[in-house]
């Protein structure tokens, strides 16, 4: 009879699986292993020394790590929420525009095309305490002090968040706008006739309809949260005095500057788990929201 | 010669068995309609013939050749889908010519075949439009055109008219029938609409739950249904069924009416529970019937509701406590509650076993 | 009367607020980018001037220096541009092929554990580039493909495949399966049915997936900064760092390179911007 063959779906998926296994899975397994060794790039033999969970114990008892970890979670929470709110606001404003909407929408997509590292440099330039646009404008307006945007811890954190929000709010705005376009008019009109205030009809009709779109945006964003690394690395490098240190900058410093790969990979795993938690969380929300609106494929 | 033969064809979806061993012989040039309620396995059967669905058991042969494992393109069939499945990125012309282009026919031949099909279906004006710019009826026509361009051995139709409005449906029904007379190919046509089945078919295959219940010409199914399912599925309005028992060689309906056993009925045993069936056409008030020959049973019934249809009027009434429908030709106005003298044509009545539902016929 | 007047006033107020809000939003979005463009045309002395010079003068010095190549302490921009182009285009092309085949499998076949496979694939995309760059660097160094186009292309393909699968899956799912069945009955093989019917119909989805893959590769830094070392393989995002010295940054030159980086992305995005939004929403919401 016929030879046993792989099912077609597997044949079709195989290239994807192979590539991902080769480029992501194997290195990750390697790094998982090396996170149980005191591996240092400069001394390859250290790769064969098993230290068990020493690295993990070390980072878990390290105040610097916990500070970076806490700051990362805080950073993501603030940034994602602000992006969502701003994106929602922008989308609602754009939806009301009657003239030149296409052009505005195109402009809105600008930041999506910028490389994160470019965004980093751009804002490093703009927030530069000496020649930056912001300080120049402030001084021309009569403020005499040059604000140390990237040198003061709090201001630096603000600048970084600003850059991050500038870069990523568009994703929310664009997707929510698409949701607004796809929204049927009848329920809104019915609500108006039934005497809902604008706020009530937004709260009970528009927002529930937009939820799946918001979750897609969240999911897409959560895949890329670590792009903030590029920005921070360029703008402050985690400084001043580790005031803007995030998990990712700490990891890269430990790995590349201190060459302590084992330790860095242990941190890497913490960051991977963090990313995965975000993604899984929003993926589930997305499926739930889809099912609720009966959009499931 | 392209007869299509199914022998003991089975389809399983995992644990669910959708088709239970179907046997069917379809002659060359025959128009066969598969009909039955939703979910009975009509589409599945058709798709197995087309090669779109694996066959779990049994054999399908087309033109004497077993095709179980052949892909659709090697079966020389064409198919019209319920939602038409027109290629949205191609014009009508390209849609029609696609199969010939795939077969690498010369351009002149393609043009000729496409033009011929367009002519038959009246598509000439629409050739350069995309499907999105067509109305439902026009799309339907393009789908048919795509099927006839190739001169296939067998046409398969899966509910091709169900997305059209009632008027268009009647019109396309006629066109399909004309088409069949013109191309003389074998046609297998799936529908759940018994009127379509009756009007189009040379032979009807009535299915239920993955089984064939009855195969025959439309009149055979209409006049001699094998069981109560066929009796109520075919014909509009559905056949009236009244419960009763056999007593002293007569039929006693549950509400108390006693009738002689119809001449068509087979052997009945004393005390057997039966269903007594007759069509509205066979219960008519005196003076309003078409044909009053044969054995007739007269009874007075009060009309509860009327449905005038023009040349005839449907009369709703109660017989032995069951609502039944009669009919009146040359209608006159009837007041609800009016008593009329009905004549039941016993020669055309049916008796079914109450338990199995099978017809008891001579 | 009064109430009508009140409502009219309120509407006018809202309209003004709406306009101001939009204006500010657009301002915040546009100014940083325009500032970069503007400064790429200003002489360095003017950029560094204190107090600031507000009336800009115009010079092409930075571009001249940039394109003059490595000779006068400049940056080998041409090589970087070429590397970026080769790596992005090739990796996008391959990622689309692989991703499309995977997306098709998810859209058209039923198999056990499909959803888990899907989420699993997406999770690989969520692995932060920095976290991946450490081990990938070591593995690539062992295999000997560090500092090559091939290595970077491979990394980007793996990075882009999951998202491509997500988008194309959504698009193929939009296409009724009767379409390829009709094509098969019309005499196509499965392969022909895909390329002649399903692919053309899903074109805009594929285009948007392509744009996303391209932008990701074109803009990526964390991996590229580790996997490339020399002029022969460094991409533009990495090249930007060439303008930074220990304590000083050549702002003008950097702005010029930044402009060079953004322009192709801008052009490409404009061409397919309609598909871009459709791609995201179809792929995500309905998929
Ligand atoms: N891919 C499938 N997987 C599992 N079960 C299926 C599949 N396709 C059909 N079935 C089941 O097989 C049975 C027969 O389906 P089929 O589509 O043949 O019905 P049908 O007679 O064409 O009905 P309709 O008139 O609604 O089109 C149904 O119970 C259906 O649920
Ligand atoms: Mg069906």
């Amino acid at each position: 009879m016929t030879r046993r063959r792989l099912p077609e779906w597997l044949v079709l998926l195989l290239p994807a699986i192979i590539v991902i296994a080769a480029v992501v899975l194997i290195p990750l397994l390697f790094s998982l292993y090396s996170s149980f060794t005191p591996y240092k790039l400069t001394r390859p033999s250290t790769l064969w020394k098993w230290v068990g969970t020493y690295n993990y114990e070390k980072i878990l008892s390290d105040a610097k790590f916990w500070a970076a970890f806490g700051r990362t979670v805080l950073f993501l929470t603030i940034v994602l929420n602000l992006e969502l709110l701003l994106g929602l606001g922008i989308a609602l404003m754009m939806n009301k525009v009657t003239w030149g909407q296409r052009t505005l929408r195109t402009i809105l997509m600008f930041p999506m095309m910028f490389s994160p590292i470019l965004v980093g440099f751009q804002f490093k330039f703009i927030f530069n305490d000496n020649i930056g646009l912001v300080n120049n404008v402030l001084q021309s307006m009569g403020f005499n002090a040059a604000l140390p945007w990237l040198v003061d811890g709090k201001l630096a954190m603000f600048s970084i968040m600003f850059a991050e929000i500038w870069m990523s709010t568009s994703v929310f705005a664009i997707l929510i706008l698409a949701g607004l376009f796809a929204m049927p008019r009848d329920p809104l009109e019915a609500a108006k006739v039934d005497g809902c205030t604008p706020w009530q009809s937004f709260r009970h009709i528009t927002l529930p309809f937009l939820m799946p779109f918001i979750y897609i945006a969240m999911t897409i964003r959560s895949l890329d949260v670590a792009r903030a690394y590029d920005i921070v690395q360029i703008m402050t490098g985690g400084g001043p005095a580790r005031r803007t240190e995030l998990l990712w900058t700490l990891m890269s410093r430990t790995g590349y500057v201190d060459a302590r790969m084992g330790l860095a990979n242990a941190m890497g795993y913490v960051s991977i788990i963090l990313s995965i938690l975000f993604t899984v969380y929003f993926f589930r929300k997305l499926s739930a929201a889809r099912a609720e609106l009966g959009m499931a494929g | 010669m392209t007869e299509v033969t199914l022998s003991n064809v089975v389809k399983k979806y995992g644990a669910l068995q959708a088709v239970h061993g179907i046997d069917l012989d379809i002659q060359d040039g025959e128009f066969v309609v598969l009909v039955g309620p939703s979910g009975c396995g009509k589409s599945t059967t058709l798709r197995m013939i087309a090669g779109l669905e694996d066959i779990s058991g049994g054999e399908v042969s087309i033109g004497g050749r077993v095709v179980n494992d052949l892909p659709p393109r090697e079966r020389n069939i064409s198919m019209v889908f319920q939602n038409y499945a027109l290629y949205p990125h191609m014009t009508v012309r390209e849609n029609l010519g696609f199969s010939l282009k795939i077969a690498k026919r010369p351009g002149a031949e393609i043009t000729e075949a496409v033009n011929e099909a367009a002519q038959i279906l009246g598509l000439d004006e629409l050739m350069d439009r995309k499907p999105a710019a067509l109305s439902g009826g026009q799309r339907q026509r393009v789908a048919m055109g795509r099927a006839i361009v190739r001169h296939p051995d067998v046409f398969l139709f899966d509910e091709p008219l169900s997305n059209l409005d009632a008027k268009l449906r009647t019109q396309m029904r006629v066109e399909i029938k004309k088409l069949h007379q013109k191309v003389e190919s074998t046609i297998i046509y799936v529908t759940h609409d018994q009127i379509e089945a009756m009007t189009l078919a040379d032979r009807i295959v009535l299915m239920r739950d993955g089984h064939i219940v009855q195969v025959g010409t439309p009149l055979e199914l209409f006049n001699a249904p094998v069981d109560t399912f066929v009796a109520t599925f075919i014909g509009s309005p559905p056949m009236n069924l009244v419960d009763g028992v056999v007593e002293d060689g007569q039929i006693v309906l549950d509400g108390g009416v006693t009738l002689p056993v119809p001449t068509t009925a087979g052997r009945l045993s004393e005390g057997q529970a039966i269903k007594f069936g007759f069509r509205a056409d066979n219960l008519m008030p005196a003076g309003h019937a078409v044909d009053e020959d044969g054995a007739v049973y007269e009874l007075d019934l009060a009309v509860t509701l009327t449905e005038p249809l023009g040349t005839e009027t449907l009369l709703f009434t109660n017989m032995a406590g069951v609502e039944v429908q009669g009919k009146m030709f040359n209608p006159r106005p009837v007041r609800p509650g009016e008593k009329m003298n009905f004549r039941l044509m016993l020669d055309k009545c049916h008796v079914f076993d109450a338990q199995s539902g099978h017809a008891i016929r001579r | 009367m009064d109430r009508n007047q009140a409502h009219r006033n309120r509407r006018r107020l809202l309209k003004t607020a709406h306009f101001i809000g939009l204006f500010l939003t657009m301002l915040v979005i546009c100014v940083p980018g325009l500032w970069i463009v503007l400064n790429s045309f200003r002489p360095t002395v003017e950029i560094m001037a204190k107090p600031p010079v507000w009336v800009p003068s115009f010079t092409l010095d930075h571009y001249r220096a940039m394109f003059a190549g490595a000779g006068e302490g400049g940056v080998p921009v041409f090589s970087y541009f070429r590397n970026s182009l080769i790596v992005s285009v090739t990796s996008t092309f391959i990622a689309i092929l692989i991703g499309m085949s995977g997306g098709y499998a998810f859209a058209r076949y039923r198999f056990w554990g499909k959803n888990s496979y899907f989420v699993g694939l997406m999770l690989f995309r969520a692995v932060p580039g920095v976290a991946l760059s450490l081990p990938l660097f070591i593995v690539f160094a062992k295999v000997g493909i560090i500092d090559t186009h091939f290595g970077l292309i491979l990394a980007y393909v793996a990075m882009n495949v999951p998202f491509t699968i997500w988008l194309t899956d959504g698009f193929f799912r939009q296409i009724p399966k009767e379409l390829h069945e009709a094509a098969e009955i019309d005499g196509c093989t499965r392969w022909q049915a895909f390329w002649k019917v399903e692919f053309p119909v899903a074109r805009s989805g594929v285009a948007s997936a392509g744009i996303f893959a391209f932008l990701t590769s074109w803009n990526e830094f964390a991996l590229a900064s580790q996997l490339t070392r020399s002029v022969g393989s460094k991409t533009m995002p990495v090249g930007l760092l060439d303008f930074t010295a220990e304590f000083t940054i050549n702002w003008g030159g950097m702005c010029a390179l930044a402009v060079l980086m953004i322009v192709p992305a801008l052009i490409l995005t404009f061409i397919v911007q309609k598909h871009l939004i459709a791609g995201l929403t179809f792929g995500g919401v309905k998929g």
Side-chain angles (χ1 to χ4, degrees):
Chain A
M1 278 303 287
T2 48
R3 207 154 41 91
R4 250 189 93 73
R5 288 194 311 176
L6 289 176
E8 269 175 63
W9 62 267
L10 189 56
V11 176
L12 288 171
L13 267 180
L14 214 52
I17 294 174
I18 289 174
V19 153
I20 289 172
V23 181
V24 189
L25 194 59
I26 290 176
L28 282 187
L29 288 177
F30 169 77
S31 82
L32 183 63
Y33 165 77
S34 76
S35 72
F36 293 105
T37 68
Y39 186 41
K40 282 194 154 202
L41 267 185
T42 43
R43 281 188 293 153
S45 64
T46 49
L47 186 56
W48 310 116
K49 203 170 141 206
W50 183 262
V51 293
T53 55
Y54 172 81
N55 284 325
Y56 289 95
E57 281 160 26
K58 183 150 183 207
I59 56 174
L60 291 185
S61 60
D62 180 2
K64 271 185 266 167
F65 172 80
W66 281 114
F69 182 84
R71 200 175 289 119
T72 307
V73 172
L74 186 71
F75 173 84
L76 289 180
T77 313
I78 294 177
V79 157
L80 285 176
N81 280 305
L82 276 181
E83 282 168 10
L84 169 59
L85 282 181
L86 288 173
L88 186 61
I90 293 175
L92 288 173
M93 283 198 295
M94 295 280 280
N95 195 35
K96 284 250 152 49
V97 170
T98 43
W99 191 82
Q101 199 187 47
R102 269 184 91 118
T103 321
L104 290 186
R105 215 171 55 198
T106 313
I107 294 177
L108 194 58
M109 285 164 75
F110 260 15
M112 288 169 77
M113 301 158 212
F114 276 60
S115 168
I117 186 163
L118 197 52
V119 174
F121 274 119
Q122 173 178 302
F123 283 100
K124 186 174 186 159
F125 187 24
I126 286 171
F127 283 120
N128 187 299
D129 53 0
N130 193 24
I131 56 162
L133 177 64
V134 177
N135 272 350
N136 278 354
V137 169
L138 286 180
Q139 278 161 12
S140 304
M141 283 177 5
F143 293 91
N144 240 336
L147 283 179
W149 288 105
L150 296 175
V151 181
D152 176 82
K154 286 216 179 64
L155 285 178
M157 205 62 200
F158 168 84
S159 310
I160 288 169
M161 283 182 179
F162 188 91
E164 172 65 33
I165 290 171
W166 183 86
M167 178 171 76
S168 302
T169 299
S170 320
V171 177
F172 286 90
I174 295 271
L175 281 170
I176 294 173
L177 191 59
L180 286 171
F181 285 159
M183 182 154 173
R185 305 209 68 82
D186 313 7
L188 271 184
E189 280 164 5
K192 218 179 246 176
V193 175
D194 284 348
C196 283
T197 62
W199 165 250
Q200 281 169 328
S201 51
F202 172 76
R203 172 73 190 71
H204 295 289
I205 295 167
T206 312
L207 202 57
F209 183 84
L210 289 181
M211 269 347 256
F213 293 85
I214 290 176
Y215 286 127
I216 301 175
M218 279 287 184
T219 314
I220 291 178
R221 268 295 283 131
S222 66
L223 293 178
D224 267 337
V225 284
R227 287 201 312 187
Y229 161 77
D230 300 7
I231 295 181
V232 180
Q233 184 65 26
I234 295 305
M235 286 178 74
T236 64
R242 295 184 184 256
R243 294 270 176 65
T244 57
E245 188 89 290
L246 299 183
L247 204 47
W248 307 298
T249 52
L250 181 64
M251 175 194 353
S252 100
R253 195 200 314 283
T254 316
Y256 291 119
V257 182
D258 305 345
R260 294 161 73 177
M261 284 293 180
L263 197 59
N265 282 333
M267 290 181 193
Y269 264 91
V270 177
S271 79
I272 290 170
I273 288 166
L274 190 68
S275 284
I276 285 180
L277 283 183
F278 266 89
T279 308
V280 169
Y281 175 75
F282 288 120
F283 229 94
R284 297 178 71 129
K285 286 273 189 190
L286 177 58
S287 314
R290 265 187 203 156
E292 210 163 287
L293 286 187
M295 289 192 201
Chain B
M1 292 300 283
T2 37
E3 56 286 338
V4 176
T5 311
L6 311 188
S7 47
N8 198 22
V9 169
V10 171
K11 177 69 195 181
K12 287 183 188 148
Y13 289 112
L16 178 107
Q17 187 154 0
V19 175
H20 299 260
I22 282 188
D23 289 301
L24 187 61
D25 273 308
I26 297 170
Q27 306 302 314
D28 181 37
E30 198 176 15
F31 197 132
V32 167
V33 175
L34 303 183
V35 65
S38 193
C40 69
K42 310 174 299 270
S43 297
T44 308
T45 307
L46 193 75
R47 291 163 56 81
M48 284 193 285
I49 299 173
L52 296 172
E53 211 74 70
D54 290 335
I55 297 166
S56 313
E59 243 176 37
V60 174
S61 42
I62 298 177
R65 186 171 60 128
V66 177
V67 295
N68 276 29
D69 295 312
L70 294 186
R73 65 178 182 282
E74 289 177 31
R75 300 188 183 198
N76 200 22
I77 46 161
S78 63
M79 182 158 169
V80 177
F81 291 83
Q82 180 170 4
N83 54 9
Y84 317 139
L86 301 180
Y87 309 125
H89 59 300
M90 299 182 194
T91 61
V92 170
R93 190 190 307 283
E94 289 164 338
N95 261 287
L96 294 180
F98 185 66
S99 58
L100 298 179
K101 208 175 107 193
I102 290 294
K104 301 220 166 60
R105 297 289 178 72
E109 187 190 326
I110 298 181
T111 316
E112 194 182 334
V114 167
N115 286 342
E116 187 196 330
Q119 187 103 52
I120 294 176
L121 293 163
L123 291 170
D124 308 82
E125 322 260 281
L126 311 170
M127 294 304 269
D128 294 311
R129 292 205 204 160
K130 294 257 176 80
L134 299 177
S135 72
Q138 291 166 335
R139 282 178 209 181
Q140 214 286 324
R141 243 182 280 233
V142 176
M144 293 216 320
R146 200 169 62 179
I148 63 175
V149 165
R150 309 168 45 206
H151 299 291
D153 294 335
V154 183
F155 283 100
L156 306 175
F157 289 86
D158 192 356
E159 309 201 19
L161 305 184
S162 62
N163 284 347
L164 301 180
D165 64 50
K167 198 169 160 205
L168 209 52
R169 204 180 307 173
T170 322
Q171 196 181 324
M172 291 306 296
R173 216 161 62 201
V174 177
E175 299 214 5
I176 290 178
K177 194 141 197 180
K178 280 189 195 152
L179 180 75
H180 180 232
Q181 283 164 3
K182 203 171 301 179
V183 299
E184 294 179 334
S185 301
T186 312
I187 292 185
I188 307 175
Y189 186 106
V190 163
T191 178
H192 60 249
D193 177 356
Q194 58 92 20
I195 298 182
E196 254 171 54
M198 293 291 283
T199 49
L200 287 172
D202 292 333
R203 261 193 319 156
I204 293 178
V205 178
L206 184 51
M207 293 180 66
R208 180 174 59 170
D209 297 339
H211 294 277
I212 291 182
V213 185
Q214 189 172 5
V215 181
T217 64
L219 285 183
E220 276 167 10
L221 264 71
F222 188 80
N223 290 329
V226 296
D227 62 12
T228 50
F229 171 70
V230 182
T232 47
F233 194 88
I234 299 284
S236 165
M239 186 183 283
N240 300 303
L241 289 176
V242 186
D243 289 322
V245 282
V246 181
E247 262 174 37
D248 300 334
Q250 288 195 305
I251 290 171
V252 181
L253 301 183
D254 284 2
V257 180
T258 306
L259 302 163
V261 172
T263 48
T264 53
R267 180 189 299 274
L268 300 173
S269 47
E270 187 66 15
Q272 187 177 4
I274 55 118
K275 281 183 193 290
F276 182 77
F278 57 91
R279 297 199 181 273
D281 314 56
N282 303 322
L283 179 68
M284 300 212 182
H288 292 278
V290 258
D291 159 33
E292 301 194 352
D293 297 343
V296 163
Y297 180 83
E298 294 192 30
L299 67 175
D300 287 332
L301 297 170
V303 175
T304 52
L305 193 79
T306 62
E307 254 185 21
L309 299 172
T311 50
E312 59 195 51
T313 292
L314 278 181
L315 303 171
F316 289 70
T317 170
N318 262 301
M319 184 171 173
V322 182
E323 177 169 274
V324 297
Q325 297 173 40
K327 213 179 241 184
M328 126 166 127
F329 282 98
N330 310 316
R332 63 170 176 83
V334 179
R335 275 175 293 107
E338 184 177 333
K339 271 214 156 143
M340 299 182 86
N341 177 244
F342 280 94
R343 306 164 69 90
L344 182 62
M345 274 144 258
L346 285 175
D347 292 346
K348 303 247 170 89
C349 293
H350 308 262
V351 180
F352 303 94
D353 182 60
Q355 227 124 60
S356 65
H358 291 314
I360 304 166
R361 207 184 315 275
R362 224 198 281 269
Chain C
M1 272 295 120
D2 277 353
R3 295 200 35 174
N4 270 325
Q5 184 66 42
H7 275 278
R8 206 158 37 229
N9 282 342
R10 229 185 77 175
R11 201 149 47 219
R12 199 168 296 155
L13 198 73
L14 276 178
K15 221 167 171 172
T16 321
H18 178 220
F19 181 80
I20 295 176
L22 260 182
F23 181 78
L24 285 180
T25 308
M26 290 302 147
L27 200 71
V28 172
I29 290 176
C30 291
V31 163
L34 290 177
W35 187 242
I36 296 288
V37 178
L38 187 70
N39 278 285
S40 72
F41 292 111
R42 292 170 77 194
T44 305
V45 274
E46 194 180 307
I47 296 176
M48 304 300 262
K50 213 69 208 180
V53 181
W54 285 115
V55 186
S57 46
F58 182 85
T59 168
L60 283 175
D61 282 353
H62 300 301
Y63 289 93
R64 227 171 267 133
M66 187 166 79
F67 289 119
E72 345 161 9
V75 179
V77 174
F78 268 135
S79 306
Y80 294 166
F81 188 83
R82 208 194 58 220
N83 294 335
S84 269
L85 207 61
I86 292 174
V87 169
S88 302
V89 170
T90 322
S91 72
T92 299
F93 187 72
I94 300 174
I96 287 293
L97 281 184
I98 295 180
M100 202 161 64
S101 122
Y104 190 80
F106 279 116
R108 280 284 186 265
Y109 295 82
R110 302 160 165 237
F111 46 91
W112 190 83
K114 183 158 138 173
N115 280 334
S116 326
Y117 273 102
F118 194 78
V119 176
L121 277 177
M122 293 312 289
L123 290 186
F124 279 113
R125 176 65 175 73
V127 171
V130 230
L132 185 61
S133 77
L134 297 165
L136 201 57
F137 172 73
I138 298 169
V139 170
F140 274 21
K142 280 254 152 50
V143 184
I145 52 175
I146 210 99
D147 201 19
T148 60
H149 286 162
F150 176 76
L152 204 54
I153 288 171
L154 196 63
Y156 286 167
V157 167
M159 199 168 146
N160 282 322
V161 159
F163 198 55
T164 312
I165 288 182
W166 190 19
L167 286 184
T168 49
D169 165 55
F171 262 84
F172 284 128
R173 233 183 266 201
Q174 298 291 306
I175 303 175
K177 74 175 193 321
E178 281 87 358
L179 227 51
H180 92 233
E181 292 178 346
E184 278 189 65
I185 285 182
D186 272 347
C188 293
T189 60
R190 197 130 190 186
W191 180 251
Q192 279 176 315
F194 176 80
W195 285 109
K196 288 189 192 283
V197 175
E198 287 172 303
F199 177 73
V201 174
R203 224 170 20 203
S204 71
V206 175
S208 76
I211 284 292
F212 279 106
F214 180 84
L215 284 179
T216 309
S217 312
W218 185 258
N219 290 334
E220 206 279 341
F221 171 72
L223 285 175
S225 65
Q226 300 308 324
L227 299 181
T228 63
R229 287 286 129 104
S230 67
V231 175
S233 69
K234 265 180 164 176
T235 56
M236 286 201 284
V238 187
L240 272 181
L241 286 181
D242 285 4
F243 291 100
T244 62
E246 188 79 29
F247 294 109
T248 61
I249 296 179
N250 174 2
W251 289 114
M254 186 179 284
C255 287
L257 180 54
V259 171
L260 190 67
M261 253 174 87
I262 300 169
V263 167
L266 267 186
I267 293 173
L268 209 63
T269 313
F270 277 135
I271 297 174
V272 290
Q273 67 145 322
K274 208 173 67 206
H275 303 307
L276 211 72
I277 299 175
L280 275 180
T281 43
F282 275 124
V285 180
K286 304 198 174 148

